[in-house]
Amino acid sequence: EYYSLNLSDEVKKGMTEKAQRGEYQSSPPFGYKMNNKKLEILEDEANAVKLVFESFLDGQGLLQIAKKLNELGYRTHRGNKFENRTIEYILENPVYAIADKDMYEYFSNFEGCLFAEEKDFDGISGTIGYSKTIQVKGKRMRKRTIEDWIVAVGKHIGFISGKEWVEVQELMGMNEEKRYRRPRKNESI
């Protein structure tokens, strides 16, 4: 158990150091490609990402947006069709957001997740969020709360305004509260 806890701390330390250097540490998200260890915008895909944000802010649902992208011929980096969860991932990923005043203010509200200073939010660079999910033993990946994320300013260019990204997060939070959940069966009776 000590080994596992120590390894977890070391991994988080490594993520934090990479975040502070503005480096991205996984495969590039839709809308970007990796070039010399730096995310570079793919214009056609970036236009699709912009369409995702615009459509969501216009009141369209995740599945409706996925269908629209599929009809337009877009595919994920793995060649798959878009699904509602792919659209949700795009909307929740801060990598697309410009590191501006709105992003700084949003993440400043969450204790301990911000690994950059206000002056780093230059209105040009993109935002990076690490450690957004956790593997729960015997189960699939679970989302972490924002307080557990590692958020920093990246070396890449963002292309969604911080204001739009924050507005989408607020709408998604409202939608999460409305989502129907089937009640659990009470086996104790």
Side-chain angles (χ1 to χ4, degrees):
E1 187 175 340
Y2 169 77
Y3 172 78
S4 179
L5 291 172
N6 187 47
L7 180 61
S8 175
D9 288 343
E10 290 299 315
V11 168
K12 187 155 187 166
K13 181 181 173 188
M15 284 184 191
T16 303
E17 290 171 1
K18 274 195 159 205
Q20 289 172 327
R21 291 192 305 261
E23 296 174 10
Y24 197 76
Q25 66 178 18
S26 64
S27 59
F30 185 79
Y32 288 99
K33 69 177 181 178
M34 197 62 78
N35 188 8
N36 293 324
K37 297 184 178 183
K38 184 178 171 185
L39 291 174
E40 189 175 285
I41 295 173
L42 293 170
E43 287 300 327
D44 189 45
E45 290 183 6
N47 288 334
V49 171
K50 291 174 188 175
L51 179 63
V52 167
F53 277 84
E54 289 168 13
S55 299
F56 188 80
L57 288 170
D58 284 343
Q60 293 179 34
L62 303 179
L63 191 56
Q64 188 178 5
I65 297 168
K67 286 179 180 178
K68 183 190 295 186
L69 288 186
N70 292 332
E71 288 169 4
L72 291 172
Y74 287 104
R75 296 295 179 263
T76 68
H77 282 179
R78 292 185 176 164
N80 298 322
K81 287 187 173 187
F82 284 86
E83 301 175 355
N84 58 342
R85 65 182 176 190
T86 322
I87 301 303
E88 181 179 38
Y89 173 79
I90 288 171
L91 291 170
E92 290 179 345
N93 195 341
V95 74
Y96 304 110
I98 298 167
D100 59 15
K101 185 180 97 163
D102 293 299
M103 291 299 281
Y104 178 78
E105 288 176 2
Y106 179 79
F107 285 112
S108 292
N109 290 320
F110 299 97
E111 185 78 27
C113 76
L114 197 54
F115 289 84
E117 297 178 27
E118 186 173 7
K119 67 177 176 52
D120 299 327
F121 287 76
D122 59 10
I124 299 167
S125 301
T127 309
I128 295 179
Y130 294 127
S131 193
K132 298 180 296 185
T133 58
I134 185 169
Q135 178 72 49
V136 179
K137 189 174 181 180
K139 300 186 179 184
R140 59 186 182 158
M141 299 293 267
R142 300 245 190 249
K143 292 180 189 176
R144 290 182 188 261
T145 61
I146 292 177
E147 289 87 354
D148 293 328
W149 290 13
I150 297 170
V151 178
V153 174
K155 291 182 177 178
H156 66 289
I157 304 295
F159 54 85
I160 299 294
S161 76
K163 181 179 180 182
E164 284 178 288
W165 190 86
V166 169
E167 189 176 340
V168 164
Q169 304 322 297
E170 290 168 355
L171 285 171
M172 290 185 76
M174 288 169 51
N175 288 343
E176 183 71 26
E177 292 169 13
K178 292 180 195 174
R179 189 179 291 166
Y180 172 77
R181 288 185 180 82
R182 186 178 61 203
R184 289 185 164 178
K185 293 179 182 178
N186 189 341
E187 303 288 335
S188 62
I189 299 177

